Amino acid sequence: MDPPRKKKKGRYGVAELKTLGNQLLSSASHINNLPLLLSFVSPSSPPHHVLESLLSLHSFFLPLLPKLPSSSSAAAAPSSGDDQSEFIYLSWLRSKFDEFLKSLLDVLASPQGDETLKELVLDTLMEFVKVSNGGAFHSSLYHKLLCSIVYSTSPPTFLVDLLASKYFKYIDVRYFTFISLKKLASTLEGKDVSDDKIANADGSSESQMSSNMECVIHNMYYTISHVPPHQGSDNTSELEMWSSSESDHKQLYGDKGADDKPQKFQKPNKNVLSAAKIAKKMKLKFTKAWIAYLRLPLPIDVYKEVLVNLHQAVIPHLSNPIMLCDFLTRSYDVGGVVSVMALSSLFVLMTQYGLEYPNFYEKLYALLVPSIFMAKHRARFFQLLDSCLKSPLLPAYLAASFAKKLSRLLLSVPPSGALVITALIHNILRRHPSINCLVHREDGVDEGKGDHRTDEGMATNSDNAKTVAMPSQKSGIDHFNSSETDPKKSGAMRSSLWEIDTILHHYCPPASRFALSLGNDLTVRAKTTEVNVGDFSAGSYATILGAEISRRVKQVPLAFFKATPSSLFSETDFAGWTFKCEETTKMINDNNDSTKDLS
């Protein structure tokens, strides 16, 4: 049935393609124009040729879709002659329609395609998703559409943004998006396991395969992160669906028998129940898609971005957020910036969903290093640290260990870090009066009286218990071990916060002024208030300098000189020192001469 090629493909213009399309739509006698028009729908064709052929083929196939047999029913041909010829003709049309769909997906995934053309191709494919399955949502075609986006070598930003703006508002599109993404993630997970066994033979193929896998995972994350979760609604009439068939309603409602029939939107007494059913199924599909995705070997940049957004964009919409505990505890055990990013989600699971994590404070204590004060997400970390130390049930040795570790960090952090540390220590001392002995401790007086009663970690360590019983014989000894990762063994309860005295003489005026607040009696809670750590957690040199510039100063120190100074220091400032270049050169030469005489 292929038409005779009187002209080469490159000699057809837009007007001739439009004529071929009009002939195909006007009469069945020009059916041989169909393969010719199909040949122009390819990534290598000019965009205006693809556009003209696409419009004609879309108008041709759209009314025929209800009559076309499925691709799998080609063997079930009728026995009678007329019906058999009709079936053969429709089967041929079906094969051409499948070829048309494949060409559209190729154009959609082409990295050199025109954006306007891609938008039209996407709208055409979504129209076929809506009507080509007897009015029901064509899930297999939609799965192929998502596969072409995810496996594309070009960034999926434009296409995913189009789906988000036009189609993700429909609940059935979101429902089948989660199903397809879950299938894709499961397929990738199986490929990653099987391909690792083959990759050892060729190093180049292994690196290429890993780069392709990372590209797919990036594309999949961009897609799944732009699918909005289901927002609970008590009225199902507010839910829009892309396809309006009864079978899609059954799938969303979970119809399994005669007693569980799909509820019509017009029945107000069933609306609440139907909305609850839909919300439950949408949460389940959302959960399965995300859990399957998080099992993949995420690249480090995607890994960090997932951890940053997990507590706000994912956890509130999961059917069972505790399912993330393995992923989050593994991330929290990694250390460094990954642990800082995992802390937000882990804190949400512990405080809102009852997750028990025995070593949480030990891991949190290990994160207190100088580099944390330069991390990108330090503001959120310090706010969570303040929240984690808020409980009145916190043991005294644990509160003392955190206060002492933060106090020791005062010696090595920038001024912005000194401000947030001062705020944290202020709140810890105010919340836990049992550790106020750290503020002022005299040698040989407080060390042997009652520290063993409050320091639970010391009771477990026999060497430390002996040291507690005896007062210190040497002044100035700090029993705190800053290199100890276990707060129980740090010896903080036998130490003091002597580092705070250094911040009172800090070169940065805001740091020294703010440290004066620790001189108040923080045990009197009625006269003091907690400091909002968020006001200092995102500080930097720029914020401190900006605050000082905008600060109104009543008395400005001035310096007047009767004569213009010729040097930075005068000779009377440093007796016995000289700052004259001639004398310095003479002294150097004399030293060189004496060295030669000795040799």
Side-chain angles (χ1 to χ4, degrees), residues 347-384:
F347 182 75
V348 170
L349 292 187
M350 293 176 62
T351 55
Q352 299 181 19
Y353 299 98
L355 175 66
E356 295 184 4
Y357 186 38
N359 298 326
F360 176 76
Y361 282 99
E362 285 79 359
K363 298 290 184 182
L364 184 62
Y365 184 78
L367 292 177
L368 295 178
V369 292
S371 60
I372 198 66
F373 293 87
M374 305 300 293
K376 180 180 180 181
H377 304 281
R378 62 184 182 276
R380 177 65 178 165
F381 170 75
F382 291 131
Q383 294 174 24
L384 288 174

Side-chain angles (χ1 to χ4, degrees), residues 282-583:
M282 290 296 293
K283 272 195 170 185
L284 183 61
K285 298 303 179 185
F286 179 87
T287 302
K288 288 183 176 180
W290 269 102
I291 295 298
Y293 178 75
L294 293 179
R295 291 196 185 105
L296 297 176
L298 304 180
I300 188 63
D301 55 339
V302 177
Y303 196 11
K304 292 179 180 179
E305 192 171 351
V306 167
L307 290 174
V308 168
N309 300 322
L310 208 59
H311 66 286
Q312 292 180 338
V314 179
I315 290 180
H317 308 287
L318 294 177
S319 59
N320 184 15
I322 298 296
M323 297 175 69
L324 288 177
C325 66
D326 291 338
F327 173 77
L328 291 175
T329 51
R330 285 198 306 267
S331 303
Y332 193 57
D333 292 340
V334 169
V337 68
V338 175
S339 296
V340 174
M341 294 177 174
L343 181 61
S344 298
S345 301
L346 200 59
F347 182 75
V348 170
L349 292 187
M350 293 176 62
T351 55
Q352 299 181 19
Y353 299 98
L355 175 66
E356 295 184 4
Y357 186 38
N359 298 326
F360 176 76
Y361 282 99
E362 285 79 359
K363 298 290 184 182
L364 184 62
Y365 184 78
L367 292 177
L368 295 178
V369 292
S371 60
I372 198 66
F373 293 87
M374 305 300 293
K376 180 180 180 181
H377 304 281
R378 62 184 182 276
R380 177 65 178 165
F381 170 75
F382 291 131
Q383 294 174 24
L384 288 174
L385 177 62
D386 185 58
S387 300
C388 293
L389 301 176
K390 189 176 289 186
S391 173
L393 302 178
L394 204 66
Y397 78 89
L398 202 55
S401 297
F402 276 93
K404 180 60 181 177
K405 184 68 179 251
L406 289 169
S407 179
R408 182 60 59 86
L409 289 173
L410 278 173
L411 306 178
S412 57
V413 298
S416 58
L419 291 174
V420 70
I421 285 179
T422 306
L424 288 168
I425 294 177
H426 178 281
N427 291 343
I428 293 174
L429 293 175
R430 186 177 181 275
R431 295 165 185 164
H432 307 280
S434 59
I435 67 168
N436 274 272
C437 59
L438 301 180
V439 178
H440 179 71
R441 183 191 297 278
E442 296 182 0
D443 295 333
V445 177
D446 294 331
E447 289 183 345
K449 283 190 175 181
D451 297 342
H452 63 284
R453 191 172 60 246
T454 55
D455 197 337
E456 296 178 12
M458 304 308 158
T460 61
N461 193 323
S462 60
D463 295 334
N464 290 339
K466 294 178 182 177
T467 310
V468 170
M470 296 186 298
S472 175
Q473 299 298 326
K474 294 182 180 180
S475 61
I477 292 181
D478 191 350
H479 298 280
F480 177 70
N481 185 3
S482 59
S483 61
E484 177 60 56
T485 58
D486 189 355
K488 291 181 180 180
K489 304 175 182 179
S490 64
M493 285 299 292
R494 294 185 293 141
S495 181
S496 65
L497 303 181
W498 58 267
E499 296 89 352
I500 294 177
D501 187 63
T502 63
I503 205 67
L504 294 174
H505 309 283
H506 201 279
Y507 72 91
C508 183
S512 58
R513 283 197 304 266
F514 187 46
L516 291 174
S517 63
L518 296 178
N520 301 327
D521 188 2
L522 299 178
T523 58
V524 185
R525 298 175 62 89
K527 296 182 180 180
T528 58
T529 57
E530 286 193 2
V531 179
N532 185 11
V533 177
D535 296 338
F536 307 95
S537 57
S540 62
Y541 283 105
T543 57
I544 293 177
L545 183 60
E548 285 296 301
I549 292 175
S550 60
R551 182 169 171 263
R552 296 185 63 183
V553 181
K554 295 181 179 179
Q555 295 181 353
V556 180
L558 299 176
F560 293 97
F561 297 96
K562 294 182 179 179
T564 304
S566 59
S567 61
L568 183 61
F569 302 107
S570 64
E571 295 182 359
T572 58
D573 290 338
F574 300 93
W577 291 77
T578 179
F579 299 97
K580 294 181 180 180
C581 182
E582 296 83 1
E583 295 183 3

Side-chain angles (χ1 to χ4, degrees), residues 2 114 143 247 275 327 342 471 567:
D2 291 344
D114 182 69
H143 181 70
S247 60
F327 173 77
S567 61

